[in-house]
Amino acid sequence: MIDEVVVVGFGTQKKVSITGSISQISTDNVLKVSTPNIANAISGKMPGIITRQSSGEPGYDAAQVYIRGLASLTNNSPLVLIDGVERDMNLINAQEIESFTVLKDASATAVYGARGANGVIIITTKRGREEKPIVTLRTEVASLHALRLPNYINSEKYALLMNEALTLNGQKARWSDEEIEKYRDGSDQFLYPNSNWTDAVLKKDTWQTINNLSITGGSKLIRYYLNVGYTLQDGLYKEDTNNKYSTNAKISRYNFRSNTDVSLTDNFTLQLGIGGIIQKGNYPGFGAGDIFNALKIISPIAYPILNPDGSLGGAQSYIGWNPYGRVTQSGYSTQDRVTLQGSFGLNWDLDFITKGLSTRVLFSYDRYTRNDNNRPKEFGVKRYMGKDPETGEDIYSPWFREEKPLAYNEGSEANSAMYLETQINYSRLFREIHDISAMLLHNQREYYNLTAGSSRMNIPYRRQGYEGRLTYALLGRYLAEINFGYNGSENFPPGKRFGFFPS
C-alpha cells in the first residue's frame, strides 16, 4: 500500500505523499449502479460530491455534479478530463473506466488555474497489459420504476373545492349535488369526465439494457484494449398503437473505444486512443417541460381524454393542451449525436541524460455533430356537447383547430476541439531519504463552433497555459509541495489574458 499510485493533475503520485484533497472511487462501485450516465453512478459515493438530477427523461437524465458546493453565480460545473482531455464523462461506459479521481481543494487543482476553480474530475480509461488476451462480456437488464409521479385530485374533489371557493367569495356554487354525483360515479364520463391525465400519459415501469464486450492483452511490443458497447433506455410515455411511428422517449447508444500502446524501444512508447459514441434519441412532438406543464394546468373536469368518436377532448381555451394529445398525437422527433475522439501520445524515458527524467507529448482531436429531425403535428380539437334530444346523435362544437399532417423542421450543430500538451517530468529518490519530483508542462486548446450563426462566433476559442509542480518528501514522512498554474484565454483583452494561480 505504501507504493500505491494515485492519479493527480497531469500525472501520478504515491498515495502516502499526497498533500491535497483527493478522493477516488473504484470501478466496481461505479458498475453497481445501473445507469448509462456516470454522473448518476457517483451520487452518494464520494465525500464532497453533490449531484442533482433534475430530469429522468432518457438522454437528459444526467445529474449535475458539484464539488464542495456552489462557488459561482454562473457556471459551477467541475472540469472533467478523460485521458487528459476535456470531454463529457456521460458519453463513456463505466466498463471502460480504469480510475476515477476527484481533485477538490486549491492545492490539488492549482495546476489547472482558473479552469480548476470548481474542482476537477480525472478519468482514465483502461489500457492493455502484457498478458494473454482476456475477453470480457458484461450484459445487464434493469427494470426502471418511477419513484414519484404527479398525483392530482379527482373531479369530485375538484368540483367541491371550486364550489367552496366561489361560496367563500360570495358567489353562487358552480356545480349542483347531482352534477357532483356524476363526477363521482362516472355515469356520464364525457360530459362529466374524471380525467386522470397522469395515468393516461405516464407508465409506472420501463426498462433498459447495458452491454459491453471487451478484449485486452498484448506483448512487450504492443498492448491493446478494445471495447464495444450498446445501451438502450426506454421512457415512461404511453403510446397510441395506431401510430406508425414511436412517440415514447428512448435512447440507443453505441460506444467504441480502442487504446493501443506500442513500445518502439525500452524507453520510447507510442499511445493511440480512438473513441466513438453514436447516440440516437426518439421523443414525442412536445418536450418534457410542455407535457408536464399540461399535466399541471388541465384539470380532471376540463374535458375527457377522448371524445365518443375517438377524437381528442378539448376546449376553446388552452387549445392543444390535452396532455394525452401532446404525448401521442403531436408527432415525434429523432435526435442523432455522433462524437469522435482521437488521441495520440508519446512517452520517452530520458534516463540516458539523467536518472528519473522523462518527457511526454499528448495531442487530441475531438469532433461532435448533432442532427435533429422534428416531425411536429397539430391534432384536431373540438368539444363534446352531449346528445341531440331528438335524434340521439352526438353533438360537437365546431373545430377549434383542425388536424394537420406531419410537418418537418431540422436543427444541427457541430464543433471540434484540438488539444496539445507537452510535459517534462523528473522523479528520483536520493540515498533512500530524499524523494524529489518535478513537473513542467505547456498546453493549449482550440475550439471551433462549426455551425456558428455569425463570423464572430466562428472565430476559434483558444486557451493556453503553463503548469508546474515540485514535491519533496523526507523519509516519506515530512512532505512539501508547490503547485502553480499560469493560464489564459483570448476572451480577455491583451495584457489581461493570463492569471497566476499558486498553491
Side-chain angles (χ1 to χ4, degrees):
M1 294 181 65
I2 292 177
D3 295 326
E4 185 178 350
V5 174
V6 175
V7 175
V8 296
F10 300 112
T12 59
Q13 286 181 235
K14 289 184 178 180
K15 190 172 184 178
V16 295
S17 65
I18 290 177
T19 59
S21 180
I22 296 177
S23 295
Q24 285 187 305
I25 181 174
S26 68
T27 306
D28 291 340
N29 282 333
V30 176
L31 289 171
K32 287 179 181 178
V33 182
S34 182
T35 174
N37 299 303
I38 304 301
N40 296 339
I42 64 174
S43 178
K45 297 288 193 302
M46 309 173 76
I49 304 300
I50 301 171
T51 62
R52 179 179 180 271
Q53 187 179 3
S54 57
S55 173
E57 188 177 25
Y60 296 95
D61 60 339
Q64 296 170 293
V65 179
Y66 307 109
I67 298 176
R68 290 188 169 179
L70 307 180
S72 170
L73 295 176
T74 53
N75 183 13
N76 287 280
S77 300
L79 174 64
V80 178
L81 301 173
I82 299 176
D83 291 334
V85 182
E86 187 175 341
R87 289 166 176 164
D88 186 354
M89 67 176 169
N90 293 308
L91 293 181
I92 66 172
N93 284 346
Q95 189 74 19
E96 303 171 12
I97 297 176
E98 178 71 27
S99 67
F100 191 106
T101 306
V102 178
L103 314 183
K104 295 184 286 188
D105 69 349
S107 63
T109 64
V111 290
Y112 296 101
R115 297 289 295 158
N118 295 318
V120 182
I121 294 176
I122 303 176
I123 299 174
T124 61
T125 58
K126 296 177 180 178
R127 309 199 72 86
R129 299 176 182 175
E130 190 176 338
E131 59 187 0
K132 293 181 179 180
I134 298 176
V135 179
T136 303
L137 172 64
R138 177 187 173 95
T139 181
E140 60 182 79
V141 177
S143 176
L144 308 182
H145 307 275
L147 293 179
R148 184 181 63 185
L149 294 176
N151 184 21
Y152 301 111
I153 60 176
N154 59 28
S155 292
E156 178 192 9
K157 293 180 180 179
Y158 193 94
L160 288 171
L161 287 171
M162 182 183 290
N163 281 351
E164 182 180 345
L166 291 170
T167 302
L168 292 173
N169 199 37
Q171 296 175 265
K172 182 180 178 181
R174 169 65 177 82
W175 307 103
S176 66
D177 292 340
E178 292 77 12
E179 290 175 317
I180 292 176
E181 179 64 20
K182 290 181 179 180
Y183 280 128
R184 186 190 66 80
D185 60 23
S187 57
D188 191 349
Q189 58 179 332
F190 295 109
L191 284 179
Y192 299 92
N194 182 22
S195 300
N196 187 336
W197 297 111
T198 300
D199 184 63
V201 168
L202 300 173
K203 299 182 291 185
K204 295 182 179 179
D205 306 291
T206 186
W207 71 290
Q208 74 178 23
T209 179
I210 302 175
N211 309 273
N212 284 278
L213 174 65
S214 65
I215 179 170
T216 183
S219 62
K220 187 177 181 180
L221 176 63
I222 299 177
R223 295 163 298 282
Y224 55 87
Y225 170 79
L226 178 67
N227 183 80
V228 291
Y230 171 69
T231 300
L232 172 64
Q233 186 179 43
D234 204 29
L236 290 174
Y237 295 134
K238 289 185 177 180
E239 297 187 79
D240 183 353
T241 56
N242 293 321
N243 287 334
K244 296 181 180 180
Y245 47 82
S246 174
T247 58
N248 192 12
K250 64 181 72 174
I251 62 164
S252 300
R253 190 175 76 195
Y254 302 86
N255 288 68
F256 169 80
R257 185 163 302 278
S258 172
N259 290 332
T260 305
D261 299 89
V262 181
S263 298
L264 299 182
T265 66
D266 290 339
N267 62 355
F268 191 86
T269 303
L270 297 179
Q271 294 181 326
L272 178 64
I274 299 175
I277 303 98
I278 301 173
Q279 179 172 302
K280 185 178 180 64
N282 191 91
Y283 300 93
F286 278 90
D290 293 324
I291 292 170
F292 279 83
N293 277 338
L295 288 176
K296 289 190 295 184
I297 290 175
I298 304 304
S299 72
I301 70 172
Y303 40 75
I305 299 171
L306 297 174
N307 292 320
D309 63 354
S311 63
L312 291 169
Q316 194 167 7
S317 61
Y318 290 102
I319 293 177
W321 279 67
N322 184 314
Y324 180 76
R326 288 195 161 193
V327 170
T328 66
Q329 307 300 321
S330 296
Y332 67 100
S333 69
T334 58
Q335 302 178 0
D336 292 279
R337 311 282 190 268
V338 178
T339 303
L340 299 177
Q341 302 170 344
S343 300
F344 174 79
L346 61 87
N347 295 291
W348 192 9
D349 292 333
L350 303 176
D351 285 348
F352 59 89
I353 298 177
T354 184
K355 186 177 180 181
L357 185 66
S358 65
T359 185
R360 175 175 174 269
V361 176
L362 172 65
F363 173 79
S364 72
Y365 178 82
D366 291 7
R367 186 181 178 93
Y368 168 79
T369 59
R370 172 185 66 85
N371 293 99
D372 295 345
N373 290 284
N374 305 312
R375 302 299 305 271
K377 176 185 175 183
E378 292 186 0
F379 54 84
V381 179
K382 63 181 180 181
R383 187 177 187 90
Y384 177 66
M385 309 299 292
K387 292 184 178 294
D388 188 305
E390 296 180 1
T391 64
E393 295 181 352
D394 292 327
I395 303 174
Y396 293 91
S397 70
W399 286 99
F400 299 133
R401 185 178 75 180
E402 293 190 5
E403 182 178 1
K404 295 182 180 180
L406 288 170
Y408 175 76
N409 62 76
E410 59 86 26
S412 62
E413 177 189 359
N415 59 65
S416 66
M418 289 187 292
Y419 177 76
L420 176 64
E421 177 182 298
T422 57
Q423 181 178 6
I424 297 177
N425 297 290
Y426 180 74
S427 180
R428 191 166 179 179
L429 179 63
F430 294 90
R431 297 192 301 181
E432 303 296 326
I433 298 175
H434 308 284
D435 194 349
I436 299 175
S437 70
M439 181 271 292
L440 187 63
L441 178 143
H442 167 263
N443 62 6
Q444 60 187 48
R445 185 176 188 264
E446 194 167 83
Y447 170 89
Y448 286 91
N449 184 350
L450 301 176
T451 53
S454 65
S455 60
R456 179 178 161 209
M457 296 302 293
N458 186 246
I459 297 174
Y461 295 81
R462 288 171 173 157
R463 292 199 302 268
Q464 190 178 57
Y466 300 88
E467 288 77 27
R469 176 170 50 239
L470 177 65
T471 69
Y472 172 72
L474 176 63
L475 299 171
R477 192 174 298 177
Y478 306 100
L479 311 173
E481 182 171 330
I482 299 173
N483 296 275
F484 78 87
Y486 180 71
N487 53 26
S489 166
E490 47 72 36
N491 284 348
F492 299 100
K496 298 182 180 180
R497 288 177 174 168
F498 284 83
F500 183 65
F501 305 88
S503 73

